[in-house]
Amino acid sequence: MGKRIVIALGGNALGNNLPEQMVAIEQTSKAIADLIEEGHEVIIAHGNGPQVGMIQAAMTELTRSNPEKYIPCPLSVCVAMSQGYIGYDLQNGLREELLDRGIDKPCATVLTQVIVDPEDPAFKNPTKPIGSFMTKEEADKMVEERGYTVVEDSGRGYRRVVASPKPQSIEEIETVKALVNAGHVVVACGGGGIPVIHTGGGHSHHLKGAAAVVDKDFASCVLAQQLDADCLIILTAVEKVAINFGKPEEKWLDDLSAEEAKKYMAEGHFAPGSMLPKVQAAVQFAESKPGRTALITLLEKAKDGINGKTGTAIHA
Ligand code: ADP
Ligand code: MG
């Protein structure tokens, strides 16, 4: 029986640069097409770390080259650009792979904004390094002129850090829903979505880009809930989740209940910034409604995973 599945693609699904992305997307499209071929409805979300880093670095160089002519590009705009060029490759790669298999399904990317709370504690404690390294002088200038938060990064220089607030809801959800219900394959929430805040309060509908990045694992979880998906699949660089990861007593898990997951999280088994947000997102989704499950596995194992043959399944 076909399920509604939200897939969150990790960095390894997209590569680190443009030529790598072209190659990676072929493999990624095959993995996704396998699920569509089995009769599942698939919605694709993805990360954008290296891509948004590249765009941000390019825009910074542009401003540096001629500050009179080019003003700095807001981070929210850089995220929007990354959604555009990743989605462009993904929708074409998928469409081609599906047509090769005789499946005539339209594929499209929806530029997606996620609402974040301006009172989110993350704004008071920015943790996510972004963009190129700076000298002490450059860093001081950025702090003074633009109010950036800057940290010294393990002896390699100074970097800007931004907040990583929790996504509240997806602004374009009705558009995504309409397309999915009409049988289209949709790419949404790229890079965790463009973080925006409602300004003005009350009846104001104005959205303002936030200088922040949203974790794609959390954004995918919200997307899956708002689409009433049956399954959230987080595809990454490991086949399963482990406890005692990288230690002699390492143990790979086939199955994880929300209760166990919380215990392991408290014991510090999952690295913050990599596996922890995935397990947190998986638990949040599994607990959001009876019958919902999450799966964490390797990109190449998506089909085996959904058929219960591998990966770590997370359930309430
Ligand atoms: P993605 O780009 O898919 O989000 P990340 O690098 O952020 O990938 O997260 C996946 C990585 O998390 C794995 O490649 C693995 O090295 C690391 N990891 C940390 N803790 C664990 C754990 N307990 N079990 C499995 N993998 C873990
Ligand atoms: Mg990650």
Side-chain angles (χ1 to χ4, degrees):
M1 210 185 61
K3 289 182 175 160
R4 178 171 285 194
I5 301 172
V6 169
I7 294 185
L9 298 173
N12 64 329
L14 302 169
N16 287 306
N17 51 48
L18 286 170
E20 277 185 26
Q21 180 168 307
M22 263 172 53
V23 180
I25 292 240
E26 265 188 55
Q27 285 316 110
T28 302
S29 300
K30 287 194 170 74
I32 297 169
D34 282 347
L35 299 184
I36 297 171
E37 205 167 33
E38 291 210 325
H40 302 298
E41 247 176 5
V42 174
I43 302 94
I44 300 133
H46 60 82
N48 73 343
Q51 294 84 0
V52 78
M54 180 188 87
I55 293 168
Q56 230 254 343
M59 299 311 281
T60 304
E61 281 310 307
L62 188 70
T63 311
R64 273 182 189 162
S65 74
N66 191 344
E68 314 282 284
K69 189 168 171 197
Y70 301 109
I71 61 157
C73 180
L75 186 54
S76 51
V77 177
C78 295
V79 176
M81 290 182 190
S82 77
Q83 284 189 357
Y85 96 78
I86 297 170
Y88 161 59
D89 268 2
L90 261 179
Q91 69 186 43
N92 286 341
L94 261 170
R95 173 85 177 140
E96 190 180 327
E97 181 62 32
L98 289 173
L99 283 175
D100 283 349
R101 299 179 189 210
I103 304 168
D104 188 358
K105 261 185 178 299
C107 304
T109 303
V110 174
L111 201 81
T112 319
Q113 304 173 90
V114 297
I115 308 292
V116 298
D117 180 356
E119 302 299 324
D120 192 306
F123 282 110
K124 296 208 172 64
N125 178 29
T127 51
K128 194 100 182 156
I130 194 100
S132 25
F133 285 98
M134 296 176 280
T135 62
K136 175 96 175 72
E137 293 68 42
E138 286 171 320
D140 288 344
K141 197 159 170 268
M142 291 297 139
V143 174
E144 193 179 313
E145 287 180 6
R146 297 187 206 156
Y148 285 4
T149 306
V150 168
V151 295
E152 208 279 326
D153 192 341
S154 15
R156 293 176 295 176
Y158 291 78
R159 272 182 107 188
R160 179 183 182 195
V161 283
V162 297
S164 188
K166 289 283 179 336
Q168 307 286 310
S169 63
I170 290 153
E171 181 67 11
E172 290 77 16
I173 194 67
E174 292 306 326
T175 307
V176 176
K177 245 186 230 172
L179 289 171
V180 173
N181 288 340
H184 298 222
V185 180
V186 181
V187 179
C189 280
I194 306 159
V196 291
I197 52 179
H198 278 291
T199 59
H203 296 291
S204 165
H205 291 287
H206 183 66
L207 295 176
K208 186 175 173 293
V213 287
V214 173
D215 194 299
K216 68 109 174 38
D217 300 312
F218 295 135
S220 310
C221 173
V222 172
L223 178 67
Q225 290 181 60
Q226 288 197 278
L227 288 174
D228 197 17
D230 304 297
C231 192
L232 170 66
I233 305 188
I234 301 177
L235 297 178
T236 184
V238 283
E239 188 162 341
K240 293 179 187 183
V241 178
I243 49 170
N244 298 310
F245 180 67
K247 296 186 187 145
E249 57 289 25
E250 181 177 77
K251 183 176 166 226
W252 300 98
L253 307 170
D254 297 324
D255 188 87
L256 187 58
S257 73
E259 284 313 308
E260 290 170 308
K262 285 178 195 168
K263 178 174 151 269
Y264 293 146
M265 282 192 263
E267 291 170 2
H269 285 282
F270 314 123
S274 61
M275 191 46 75
L276 183 60
K278 294 183 207 317
V279 176
Q280 286 174 325
V283 167
Q284 190 185 323
F285 182 69
E287 286 191 324
S288 62
K289 196 173 167 181
R292 288 180 179 171
T293 57
L295 175 76
I296 300 175
T297 193
L298 260 186
L299 174 67
E300 304 87 285
K301 301 281 178 171
K303 184 176 163 180
D304 284 348
I306 196 79
N307 291 321
K309 292 181 190 153
T310 190
T312 304
I314 296 101
H315 48 85

